[in-house]
Amino acid sequence: MGFIAGATRVVIDAWGWLNYKPVFSDAAGMPNRRAFPEEQAMWIPGADRRRLAAYKLLAAYDNNQSAQIAEIQDGPEARERREFGDPAMFVETVMANVLGREQHISVPGSEHDGEGEPDPQTAAAQRLEELLQEWAEAELLPMRVQQAERKAVSLGDGVYRLAWDPSKRRVTLRAVDPGFFFPVIGEDDDGGEFPERVHFAWELPEDVQRELPARLRRITFELAPIGAATTTGVDQAGRAVRALRTVEGPDGELAPVVSEGDQLDPDTGVLSRQYAWNDEPSAVTCYLTDATWDISDLRGPLDVDSLPMDKAAYATRRDGEVLDRLDLYIDFIPVIHIPNTVPPAEEFWGQSSLAKVLQVFDELQSSDTDASRASATTGLPMVAIAGAGTERAEYNVGPGAMWRLGADGRMFSVDTSPALRELREHRHDLADRAATVARLPSVALGTVDPAKVPSGFAMQISLGPLDSMVASMRLARDHKYALLLKMVQRLYLAGQHPDWAGVAPLPVKLVFGPYTPTDKQSVLEQVATGVEKRIISKETGIKMLIEAGFPIEDAPEELRRIDARSFEDARFLADALNNPDETADFLGRKAPDEPEAPAVILPATGDETAPGNPPETTPAGGAQGSGGNDR
């Protein structure tokens, strides 16, 4: 802030790129109260007001409603701006490239070539992969991912919330609007670390029909030391709360009950618990609170983290458990924050993909508005008539119209098409500028003519900026989705699902598919040549075909089918090994049963006699001609 009284305050933060809009940043650097009244609620922390206002403004651009917000600052003429969906198109394109054409769950170590039985580690990885794929199908994981990723790309942040549903007997996954997300980040906390307490809060409007006042609902997850066992109870005001479970001791006094499986250290008084996924006992658990307040009961200086608990009404879960610091029996907060970009050092929030091009979109709106006005005069040209007798006459311009002019009457038409042409060219320049700044080449936006691409190599070079952008955005997501799938495994173990009995948690990845257009014919020729010349293996070739988009679902099965028809390779194998069984295994067939070979009869040595005649013998009994000593 400047030293002169009344000087404009310059705020540089994660949303400083919106400061150019007066409606977003006034002289004090805060959003306009008329444009963003929701962000001025007393329970919203001051540090979150600019973030929530930025979310609302970005959502307005995404839904072609930014002119409605601009009207508050610029007047009614701002509503005449034309918005043709360019921001939404950019968001959809970026999201499609980041996620790729498909996503699949991969457990490292689950690969098996199909020959023989897999070892125990491979079998365990395969079993885990099957269980997670079944969960992903039941929980509609691809749809949930798109819901959260669209928020992340357009607003800068996406949020997932996981929970164990006792009635469904599975882990549930929900994408949450980041505008409801309030993590408690302390002054000494590292912004890159996940906080130990997070809130989801939103206001519920007044319901006149049901006679319900305006309310505030808050769902809180908090990591804290393990406490004594609790049960559902009622306090003096009649509210459903959680009360300590007690037991009468030998001296007649009531003592708290330790939950089954928890261990009490008599020296320190600390409770610890052995979780199925930890090697050592842990003294921490996660508590869930779901409470609602009447807005009229909130008084004084407070925010979302300091609401009066004595005025809260707690929700009750479907199984009858009151959600008042309910012990979830897990040592982590089941919430995943997805930043759209790699946050700066010691920062927590991501940045929207529209951040750097928002001013270009404003210029595009102005250009579209001017072009719409110019097209009106081009389609219905302006005509001027001069001369005697034309001063008071009225003329209607239309097809087939005829006018009688005076002796010196003249008529002129004003051609505005050059101005419209310039506006259109200016708009194309602005669109190219936006694509360049957003690192979205024309081939990614689908605006390039495929016939004008000189070669696949030239196309790959043009995709260089997109490759770097996608690599950076996927880097911000890789460990987040690995953490999400780790939490899914742990929640299943905590829920004691019978199908997960004996399953050990393993590192799991959510793999995003290819996103760039691929010349399939070129890849097919490369694979065929490489395999034929023995430069690459068949396994590598199949992997290249899968990445190119060929419909190969199971790589080992595809390799088995190829080998089953490789009779020429089988002949070479038979010549090299002289083993029918291995050759048959290569073809996926059973070797035929061969009859036992007859005994080999060697021909007689020396002079052969006629069949049936015994050989003549010498007096000594030797065969005639058997030696030269008889001569």
Side-chain angles (χ1 to χ4, degrees):
M1 181 158 53
F3 293 102
I4 304 176
T8 301
R9 182 183 181 186
V10 178
V11 179
I12 300 178
D13 58 3
W15 303 276
W17 43 271
L18 274 171
N19 286 346
Y20 78 96
K21 286 185 168 295
V23 73
F24 180 80
S25 181
D26 59 12
M30 297 304 295
N32 186 292
R33 290 180 176 270
R34 293 177 55 218
F36 308 100
E38 304 87 354
E39 286 66 40
Q40 307 301 324
M42 61 179 300
W43 58 271
I44 294 180
D48 290 299
R49 291 178 180 176
R50 282 172 58 85
R51 174 174 67 92
L52 299 183
Y55 289 163
K56 182 176 181 179
L57 188 55
L58 289 167
Y61 273 89
D62 193 13
N63 292 279
N64 291 350
Q65 293 180 280
S66 64
Q68 292 181 254
I69 296 181
E71 180 184 8
I72 298 174
Q73 186 80 27
D74 301 336
E77 61 275 6
R79 292 293 295 269
E80 299 180 6
R81 294 182 183 177
R82 298 293 189 267
E83 298 182 69
F84 295 148
D86 294 282
M89 182 266 294
F90 269 63
V91 169
E92 296 288 350
T93 303
V94 172
M95 183 185 70
N97 284 284
V98 170
L99 296 182
R101 289 190 287 268
E102 60 184 8
Q103 307 86 42
H104 65 274
I105 295 173
S106 175
V107 180
S110 63
E111 299 83 4
H112 183 57
D113 57 6
E115 297 182 3
E117 293 295 328
D119 55 62
Q121 292 79 8
T122 303
Q126 290 177 343
R127 175 58 178 161
L128 177 58
E129 192 171 89
E130 292 174 1
L131 290 172
L132 288 175
Q133 288 173 351
E134 292 174 1
W135 167 80
E137 183 177 357
E139 199 56 26
L140 306 176
L141 180 62
M143 185 186 72
R144 306 294 184 195
V145 169
Q146 287 215 13
Q147 289 175 341
E149 285 295 341
R150 204 183 190 290
K151 293 289 186 181
V153 173
S154 60
L155 305 182
D157 302 283
V159 181
Y160 291 106
R161 191 175 68 199
L162 298 100
W164 172 254
D165 192 323
S167 60
K168 295 182 179 179
R169 299 292 296 167
R170 74 165 186 262
V171 178
T172 57
L173 177 68
R174 295 294 180 267
V176 185
D177 192 298
F180 302 148
F181 180 53
F182 297 90
V184 180
I185 303 176
E187 295 180 358
D188 298 329
D189 294 342
D190 184 2
E193 298 293 334
F194 200 80
E196 296 184 353
R197 186 167 69 255
V198 300
H199 305 292
F200 294 92
W202 62 95
E203 288 190 8
L204 301 171
E206 181 182 3
D207 190 340
V208 179
Q209 185 175 2
R210 298 170 58 190
E211 297 182 353
L212 293 175
R215 291 151 293 152
L216 171 65
R217 184 179 178 186
R218 188 190 74 180
I219 298 175
T220 301
F221 294 90
E222 181 180 8
L223 290 178
I226 299 174
T230 60
T231 185
T232 299
V234 179
D235 66 358
Q236 296 179 352
R239 298 183 307 164
V241 296
R242 299 203 68 80
L244 282 176
R245 292 177 56 188
T246 58
V247 62
E248 186 175 352
D251 53 358
E253 295 183 358
L254 297 178
V257 176
V258 177
S259 299
E260 183 179 357
D262 292 352
Q263 299 294 328
L264 176 62
D265 189 336
D267 297 331
T268 62
V270 175
L271 288 172
S272 62
R273 180 180 300 160
Q274 180 63 58
Y275 294 102
W277 48 86
N278 287 343
D279 296 331
E280 298 292 336
S282 174
V284 175
T285 188
C286 181
Y287 293 99
L288 169 64
T289 302
D290 187 349
T292 304
W293 290 263
D294 289 349
I295 297 294
S296 59
D297 291 338
L298 302 180
R299 294 286 188 273
L302 49 82
D303 59 17
V304 69
D305 191 47
S306 60
L307 298 176
M309 304 308 298
D310 58 331
K311 298 182 180 298
Y314 299 103
T316 302
R317 206 166 59 181
R318 282 181 287 183
D319 58 357
E321 294 286 356
V322 177
L323 303 182
D324 172 20
R325 283 183 62 84
L326 176 66
D327 190 347
L328 298 180
Y329 287 87
I330 55 177
D331 61 346
F332 58 90
I333 294 180
V335 174
I336 302 293
H337 167 242
I338 305 290
N340 183 51
T341 57
V342 176
E346 300 183 355
E347 291 291 339
F348 185 82
W349 305 103
Q351 189 179 80
S352 169
S353 294
L354 301 178
K356 298 299 190 295
V357 293
L358 210 59
Q359 295 192 47
V360 184
F361 286 138
D362 288 342
E363 294 293 333
L364 280 170
Q365 291 179 13
S366 300
S367 179
D368 289 335
T369 303
D370 294 340
S372 297
R373 293 170 177 170
S375 63
T377 60
T378 301
L380 186 63
M382 294 181 291
V383 178
I385 300 177
T390 62
E391 293 81 3
R392 300 193 180 117
E394 295 183 358
Y395 300 94
N396 294 322
V397 179
M402 297 182 63
W403 307 303
R404 184 181 301 276
L405 304 179
D408 57 347
R410 297 182 305 278
M411 183 176 66
F412 308 92
S413 65
V414 181
D415 184 11
T416 60
S417 59
L420 178 61
R421 189 180 306 110
E422 289 293 332
L423 286 172
R424 288 178 175 176
E425 291 179 358
H426 178 59
R427 191 198 183 284
H428 290 315
D429 293 340
L430 290 174
D432 292 341
R433 183 68 172 271
T436 301
V437 174
R439 292 188 289 179
L440 288 175
S442 300
V443 64
L445 292 172
T447 58
V448 65
D449 185 0
K452 296 182 179 179
V453 179
S455 65
F457 181 70
M459 183 180 67
Q460 289 293 333
I461 294 177
S462 66
L463 289 173
L466 177 64
D467 293 339
S468 62
M469 180 190 70
V470 172
S472 177
M473 296 177 69
R474 288 187 174 183
L475 177 64
R477 290 161 168 77
D478 284 344
H479 70 288
K480 295 290 187 177
Y481 282 105
L483 182 60
L484 185 149
L485 295 172
K486 180 191 292 186
M487 289 184 179
V488 171
Q489 300 176 66
R490 293 183 173 184
L491 287 172
Y492 264 110
L493 295 178
Q496 299 180 357
H497 195 283
D499 293 344
W500 286 71
V503 176
L506 295 174
V508 186
K509 294 182 178 181
L510 183 65
V511 180
F512 299 138
Y515 58 92
T516 56
T518 307
D519 187 353
K520 291 186 176 181
Q521 182 63 32
S522 175
V523 174
L524 183 60
E525 293 177 359
Q526 292 175 9
V527 171
T529 304
V531 173
E532 180 184 0
K533 301 298 184 182
R534 305 292 193 272
I535 300 175
I536 61 175
S537 64
K538 292 180 181 178
E539 292 83 355
T540 302
I542 292 175
K543 183 178 180 180
M544 292 172 61
L545 295 177
I546 293 175
E547 293 177 352
F550 284 83
I552 300 175
E553 297 181 357
D554 191 340
E557 178 63 19
E558 189 71 17
L559 179 62
R560 188 194 64 79
R561 294 173 183 172
I562 295 173
D563 289 341
R565 296 170 176 83
S566 302
F567 300 110
E568 188 71 16
D569 292 342
R571 182 173 65 82
F572 292 148
L573 183 63
D575 292 343
L577 301 179
N578 194 22
N579 189 330
D581 293 332
E582 291 194 20
T583 305
D585 289 341
F586 175 77
L587 294 173
R589 305 186 181 192
K590 184 179 180 182
D593 296 332
E594 296 184 359
E596 186 176 353
V600 179
I601 303 176
L602 299 176
T605 58
D607 296 337
E608 297 181 357
T609 59
N613 296 330
E616 298 181 359
T617 60
T618 61
Q624 193 175 32
S626 60
N629 295 330
D630 296 333
R631 293 184 180 179

